[in-house]
Amino acid sequence: MKTISLELQDALRFLDESAIETLIPKVKAAHAELEAGTCPGNDFLGWLHLPSSITPEFLADLQATAQTLREHCDTIVVAGIGGSYLGARAVIDALSNSFAWLTNKGENPNILFAGNNISEDYLFELTEYLKTRRFGVINISKSGTTTETALAFRLLKKQCEDQRGKAEAQKVIVAITDAVRGAARITADKEGYKSYIIPDNVGGRFSVLTPVGLLPIACAGFDIAELVRGAQDMEKASAENDFESNLAEQYAAVRNALYAQGKKIEILANYHPKLHFMSEWWKQLYGESEGKDGVGIFPAAVDLTTDLHSMGQWIQEGERSIFETVVSIEKPEHTVLFPHDEENLDGLNFLEGKRVDEVNKMAELGTRLAHVDGGVPNLRVVLPELTAYYLGQLIYFFEIACGISGRVLNINPFDQPGVEAYKKNMFALLEKPGYEAESAAIKQRLG
Ligand code: PA5
């Protein structure tokens, strides 16, 4: 089995040998705690052995639902926010042709995302666009009460029913939500929508390998069995006891050792625009899991070489509180050669005939050397190719490393109490019934 690999030498050079040695027992204990289910937040460990629990029958059912949606829709809107959309978007973007949108001849539905903001203009433009589309909706909300998603679903449900009639709309609206609780479940049961359950013990940001991620990805035409197979293989590899061959334990150890030395910010960097949303998914996974109790590595992300022309200066010479993890793709899918130009005004004819990927790889290597020289430790995660299988490995690798890393930081990686603060204020400002005391307090505060 080919696997993703992890290169650490350009991070280890910033650390004393003892820094990692000291952390190994903590990493091992953290991993053991996850396996034994004895850590804080242990009622949210359903993701840990999720890949190996997925059956071919379950995948076939998801594929059948996806097929129904694909047959009846030219556009599918995925309504969800945070963990209820980022994983699907990350995988779909990573595997899609960058111009699928513009070149789509109808072989796959366009997948759009909504319910992840409260922008009136976004919703207006979306609903205008959908007026001429045969669209379906996947409504994803574990709680079933998230304002952003509920608002989008209200609009989309009505529009879908108005355009298709209630009976037809019922065939193209799917709910992915809690087994019993919340508005999304009640509506799904009342309207007779096909529905899937988000297991109680899987938090949103760890849910990409549940129907939350798998159904939209299957609707987009990608191979969810391969994605799951990659995750299953990484689940097996992560059970490896030997620290030297356990990539997730190594990643958790090195990032915590760097954090202990004042490297408070981790920048996830990619050299392929298709990975932009993979970084967004990773940011949520690590940010929401680790940022609490006054600690946590701040997860940031850059798309390179693009952002070398915007953030490159800061990374090279700004405060030395950062380290960088590069997600690199060994082999691109296509071949483009650097072209000849008769006039050679840009002086680049010396590159003529080279693969563009070779230039990209030299940009990556040159950047790594420069950043290391500038005091930025560099870790490198390498995917042999950008396929569903290796994305499955990458997803599980980051999930298990996140669980371990969070426990090394001594926090509960599986809750997100801080997310409630803005909701409380928003509801108080909007005078939601039940928020009278908060409304009065906030009015006084704002004068
Ligand atoms: O990771 C999480 O738990 C969150 O990001 C949630 O996924 C997000 O807030 C959406 O919640 P819900 O699925 O309940 O609408």
Side-chain angles (χ1 to χ4, degrees):
M1 166 189 69
K2 250 189 163 181
T3 55
I4 62 171
S5 56
L6 179 66
E7 294 174 12
L8 298 171
Q9 67 276 11
D10 282 333
L12 294 177
R13 70 174 72 225
F14 289 84
L15 295 165
D16 299 335
E17 229 171 79
S18 63
I20 298 296
E21 288 303 314
T22 323
L23 271 175
I24 293 176
K26 279 195 189 164
V27 165
K28 286 283 172 202
H31 196 171
E33 247 189 347
L34 294 181
E35 284 295 342
T38 51
C39 58
N42 57 2
D43 42 348
F44 283 97
L45 286 171
W47 57 273
L48 190 60
H49 294 297
L50 178 67
S52 55
S53 74
I54 298 172
T55 62
E57 294 72 30
F58 187 60
L59 289 178
D61 182 72
L62 284 166
Q63 274 150 344
T65 304
Q67 194 48 36
T68 304
L69 287 169
R70 286 167 62 83
E71 277 163 17
H72 290 86
C73 306
D74 56 29
T75 304
I76 297 169
V77 187
V78 177
I81 192 168
S84 290
Y85 104 101
L86 283 167
R89 182 147 200 192
V91 174
I92 292 170
D93 276 19
L95 295 177
S96 293
N97 181 306
S98 308
F99 304 97
W101 241 136
L102 302 169
T103 55
N104 194 347
K105 297 199 175 65
E107 62 277 21
N108 286 308
N110 283 324
I111 310 292
L112 304 181
F113 295 89
N116 54 60
N117 62 64
I118 320 180
S119 163
E120 193 160 339
D121 287 344
Y122 185 90
L123 288 169
F124 176 85
E125 289 162 14
L126 174 69
T127 48
E128 277 299 297
Y129 171 74
L130 292 173
K131 280 182 182 165
T132 56
R133 313 306 299 178
R134 289 169 54 242
F135 75 93
V137 185
I138 305 177
N139 183 34
I140 309 178
S141 179
K142 190 173 183 198
S143 63
T145 57
T146 302
T147 308
E148 291 86 340
T149 308
L151 162 64
F153 185 63
R154 281 186 182 210
L155 290 166
L156 294 169
K157 175 178 185 292
K158 176 157 189 334
Q159 185 169 352
C160 189
E161 289 174 353
D162 288 349
Q163 287 178 206
R164 289 180 179 259
K166 221 168 158 56
E168 276 297 304
Q170 192 242 22
K171 289 189 199 143
V172 294
I173 299 179
V174 177
I176 304 177
T177 186
D178 187 81
V180 287
R181 286 180 300 259
R185 167 55 55 202
I186 294 165
T187 307
D189 290 348
K190 185 172 123 245
E191 302 285 357
Y193 300 149
K194 172 82 182 175
S195 68
Y196 290 96
I197 293 168
I198 309 175
D200 267 349
N201 60 359
V202 180
R205 58 190 174 276
F206 288 87
S207 69
V208 52
L209 298 170
T210 72
V212 169
L214 296 178
L215 182 63
I217 295 166
C219 285
F222 298 116
D223 190 342
I224 52 174
E226 275 298 282
L227 186 79
V228 168
R229 189 171 71 83
Q232 288 169 340
D233 284 348
M234 188 49 73
E235 182 188 330
K236 269 191 225 129
S238 303
E240 174 59 62
N241 216 2
D242 176 18
F243 178 80
E244 296 306 322
S245 32
N246 191 315
L247 302 188
E249 289 184 357
Q250 290 173 26
Y251 178 53
V254 171
R255 61 198 298 283
N256 272 283
L258 291 167
Y259 180 65
Q261 289 198 4
K263 302 293 187 192
K264 306 287 188 195
I265 301 165
E266 177 175 10
I267 299 176
L268 196 76
N270 68 71
Y271 284 79
H272 297 271
K274 288 180 181 193
L275 291 177
H276 175 83
F277 266 93
M278 193 45 77
S279 297
E280 293 301 306
W281 171 81
W282 171 90
K283 268 162 54 181
Q284 190 212 356
L285 180 65
Y286 280 79
E288 223 168 65
S289 299
E290 293 191 331
K292 53 196 71 156
D293 300 345
V295 300
I297 300 167
F298 183 83
V302 284
D303 299 325
L304 305 181
T305 58
T306 314
D307 291 339
L308 289 175
H309 298 259
S310 60
M311 294 302 292
Q313 172 61 35
W314 200 104
I315 298 171
Q316 191 66 43
E317 295 182 351
E319 189 183 70
R320 301 298 73 188
S321 52
I322 58 172
F323 65 99
E324 177 177 52
T325 299
V326 175
V327 176
S328 188
I329 310 295
E330 207 158 76
K331 189 165 160 278
E333 196 184 344
H334 304 290
T335 304
V336 177
L337 301 182
F338 211 102
H340 172 78
D341 185 272
E342 211 48 63
E343 292 184 281
N344 194 27
L345 293 176
D346 51 18
L348 292 175
N349 271 356
F350 75 100
L351 295 173
E352 179 186 338
K354 278 195 196 300
R355 294 278 301 266
V356 169
D357 190 60
E358 190 181 337
V359 180
N360 201 24
K361 289 284 187 323
M362 289 309 111
E364 182 190 326
L365 178 57
T367 305
R368 168 152 44 113
L369 296 173
H371 287 178
V372 168
D373 288 346
V376 180
N378 182 290
L379 295 83
R380 192 163 176 256
V381 181
V382 185
L383 275 65
E385 289 171 67
L386 191 50
T387 61
Y389 174 73
Y390 291 118
L391 285 173
Q393 286 196 12
L394 185 72
I395 285 167
Y396 190 81
F397 161 75
F398 276 139
E399 286 183 351
I400 178 103
C402 180
I404 297 170
S405 188
R407 288 306 301 136
V408 173
L409 276 169
N410 207 22
I411 46 87
N412 174 356
F414 308 116
D415 65 0
Q416 55 285 329
V419 180
E420 294 310 310
Y422 97 90
K423 294 183 194 168
K424 195 176 80 170
N425 287 342
M426 178 177 77
F427 289 141
L429 287 162
L430 291 168
E431 302 187 343
K432 182 177 178 179
Y435 283 73
E436 289 76 12
E438 288 87 349
S439 287
I442 216 161
K443 272 188 196 142
Q444 200 179 18
R445 176 174 162 189
L446 296 175

